[in-house]
Amino acid sequence: MQQNLATNTYKTCFTRDLKPGQIVYEDVYVENRRLLAKGHVLTERIISLLRNRNVQQVLIERTATNMGDSLKSFTKEATNPISTDIRHDYLRALGQLSSETRYGKLLNNAEDIQLLAGLFTSYLENPTVYKLLSNLKNHDEATYLHSIDVFTLGTLFAISEGILTIEEVGLGFLFHDIGKLYTASELLKKVQKLTKNEYAVIQYHAMQGYEILHQHGLAHIAHFAKSHHERVDGSGYPEGLEASELSIELQILQLVDVYSALTMDRPYHPGDCAVIALEKLFKKVSQFNAGLLYRFIDFVGIYPENAIVLLSDGSQAIIQQVNTLYPLLPTVKIFNTGNVLHMPMDFSLSIHKLITFHVDSPQDLFSKFSDFLLNNDVLQMRRYYEKLKQHYPQNEWFSHIYLPVFHVFRVIENYEMVPEKRFKEVKSTLVSLLEDTLKLFRKSDHAKKKFILLLGDIKKPAVIKLFEGLLHSQNIYSFISPANQSKEAIEKLVKLCSVDSLILVSEQFINMPTLDIQYYHLTEFQLESFMSHYVSTSIEHQQLIDDLQRFNKTEHLLFIQ
């Protein structure tokens, strides 16, 4: 086809030069099969697909050089310069938010982008709405972007659910967090764990949002701000409403709000990939409308591992593995044939819908983690290790993951259940994993208030590492040094590290220098026995200190000196 120079509505573009946001001018065919339809908005994944299929050139709309410009072809009605600026502000935010790793198959057509941009512009032509949203943006950029995200995802999902009052619902989604205007910016950005009082202040944003919207003549959407943290099982706030008291629009908002919060980067946590976020939603499925959750997953097109799905050819499969960079193309295992395949990039075979999903319990994950570890399958072991960590707060990783697996290893070693060579390889892998975790703790623990000097003289360094991890998890930073040192050297270390306790792990009692600190002495056997009491338990700081008291030798030290 020759380019129409008179109209100049499209241009030929090499695939190496394609950019997200450009719009395909003409259907793209590969081997007589349509790979891409006219009007499709290019994303990073689609561009990769074209390159991988050896497509050399694509005709694109000349006006569509990026996501912002792509709207110019259908925004002629926005003659007001302010309206045009508002649209472009929205599109810039959308470009920042809408990676395929979060949005899946959404926003792959110009019509949806046009609808969203049109709604957003119409809202902000109201001076009150414009002022409130501008104030939120200036107060906290992260909350503003989250609001844009919830509006985008929630509005499209609500349309797919047949909601008719979409103009009102979309505005309610956009302003669900407006109450955070009255929450201190420092508190919204706080990285450390919130105190009980701080959490109560954060929770109050729901009622504050309700009041703000009433005060500004937006009472018809105020319930979205007040009730977006309610849950269908009655466990939410501020009123503890249950499913029968919550509209379908509110139930959509509650689901999308959590998905957005989980997958967006925040000052206090990096965003989860979509697969992990969906697994977390399923773990708390009793709090949400389960049917909505299933349909939301189909809507986005990203499916968690272990999900049972129906494919477009009518067969059933289980999702075996998801590449977080290309979540729309997972590896699946077909039930009736047992074949394992990567979903094709041309979507000649696709996932039609979610049938069911089973969330692995921590016990299931630990079993798989330890099994793959013992088989020295490092890749699979790390996959389940990462999943297992999601179930526990960081300060319980040692008591719920490392101590149990080392206990399993001790049994295997004692009964010689694994060939010696493989056992050494596996143990090396585990110690390496343990060391990586300790590095993570060490980097963030220098602000801790309690410091101890840990002197070790044992044959199995892994035991000392486990104990160090247990101490870290209880907010105790330990400086580790060999036990076979002179009194003077130990005294110098105590003063240099400003420790208030000294723990000696050695078969021999060492005559320590006279120091005004607590002194504990354990043998290697006693230390292993001591730690075994914390396998798969949630321990508190004071409990650990109290339990150590039976090894306190402070008075004995003073007596012999």
Side-chain angles (χ1 to χ4, degrees), residues 143 172 175-183 188 198-215 218-219 221-231 236-241 250 253-254 257:
T143 302
F175 275 150
H176 77 285
D177 258 350
I178 196 64
K180 288 185 178 177
L181 269 176
Y182 290 168
T183 306
L188 294 174
E198 288 171 338
Y199 186 62
V201 171
I202 289 285
Q203 285 186 315
Y204 193 57
H205 80 276
M207 287 306 303
Q208 288 176 315
Y210 182 77
E211 294 164 4
I212 289 171
L213 294 174
H214 268 277
Q215 292 165 4
L218 297 168
I221 61 166
H223 60 291
F224 288 104
K226 181 173 71 170
S227 301
H228 67 282
H229 281 290
E230 300 288 359
R231 297 292 180 259
Y237 65 86
E239 298 176 295
L241 302 180
L250 273 171
L253 172 58
Q254 293 153 13
D257 177 42

Side-chain angles (χ1 to χ4, degrees), residues 188-205:
L188 294 174
K189 293 181 173 67
K190 185 177 179 181
V191 176
Q192 295 82 12
K193 184 178 180 180
L194 296 176
T195 65
K196 187 176 180 179
N197 288 338
E198 288 171 338
Y199 186 62
V201 171
I202 289 285
Q203 285 186 315
Y204 193 57
H205 80 276

Side-chain angles (χ1 to χ4, degrees), residues 57-116:
Q57 297 177 336
V58 178
L59 297 184
I60 62 167
E61 291 188 12
R62 179 168 289 279
T63 56
T65 55
N66 55 51
M67 186 172 281
D69 291 338
S70 70
L71 266 291
K72 293 180 181 177
S73 61
F74 45 72
T75 56
K76 293 179 181 179
E77 73 278 11
T79 55
N80 185 337
I82 295 177
S83 296
T84 302
D85 288 344
I86 289 171
R87 282 175 177 261
H88 287 175
D89 283 345
Y90 172 71
L91 291 165
R92 279 193 288 271
L94 194 58
Q96 182 176 343
L97 295 166
S98 60
S99 71
E100 193 168 281
T101 57
R102 299 181 64 246
Y103 273 44
K105 64 184 181 182
L106 305 184
L107 296 184
N108 279 345
N109 64 78
E111 289 79 8
D112 285 345
I113 299 175
Q114 180 183 14
L115 181 148
L116 291 165

Side-chain angles (χ1 to χ4, degrees), residues 184-292:
S185 179
E186 296 76 17
L187 191 55
L188 294 174
K189 293 181 173 67
K190 185 177 179 181
V191 176
Q192 295 82 12
K193 184 178 180 180
L194 296 176
T195 65
K196 187 176 180 179
N197 288 338
E198 288 171 338
Y199 186 62
V201 171
I202 289 285
Q203 285 186 315
Y204 193 57
H205 80 276
M207 287 306 303
Q208 288 176 315
Y210 182 77
E211 294 164 4
I212 289 171
L213 294 174
H214 268 277
Q215 292 165 4
H216 288 82
L218 297 168
H220 63 297
I221 61 166
H223 60 291
F224 288 104
K226 181 173 71 170
S227 301
H228 67 282
H229 281 290
E230 300 288 359
R231 297 292 180 259
V232 299
D233 63 355
S235 64
Y237 65 86
E239 298 176 295
L241 302 180
E242 296 183 357
S244 60
E245 302 168 283
L246 299 168
S247 67
I248 190 67
E249 293 89 349
L250 273 171
Q251 293 182 38
I252 289 173
L253 172 58
Q254 293 153 13
L255 177 62
V256 172
D257 177 42
V258 175
Y259 177 79
S260 171
L262 289 172
T263 55
M264 284 186 66
D265 288 333
R266 294 295 186 93
Y268 44 86
H269 78 79
D272 292 323
C273 67
V275 172
I276 295 297
L278 293 172
E279 287 181 359
K280 287 183 176 181
L281 283 169
F282 265 108
K283 289 171 190 172
K284 297 184 177 181
V285 68
S286 63
Q287 297 182 3
F288 304 100
N289 181 319
L292 277 180

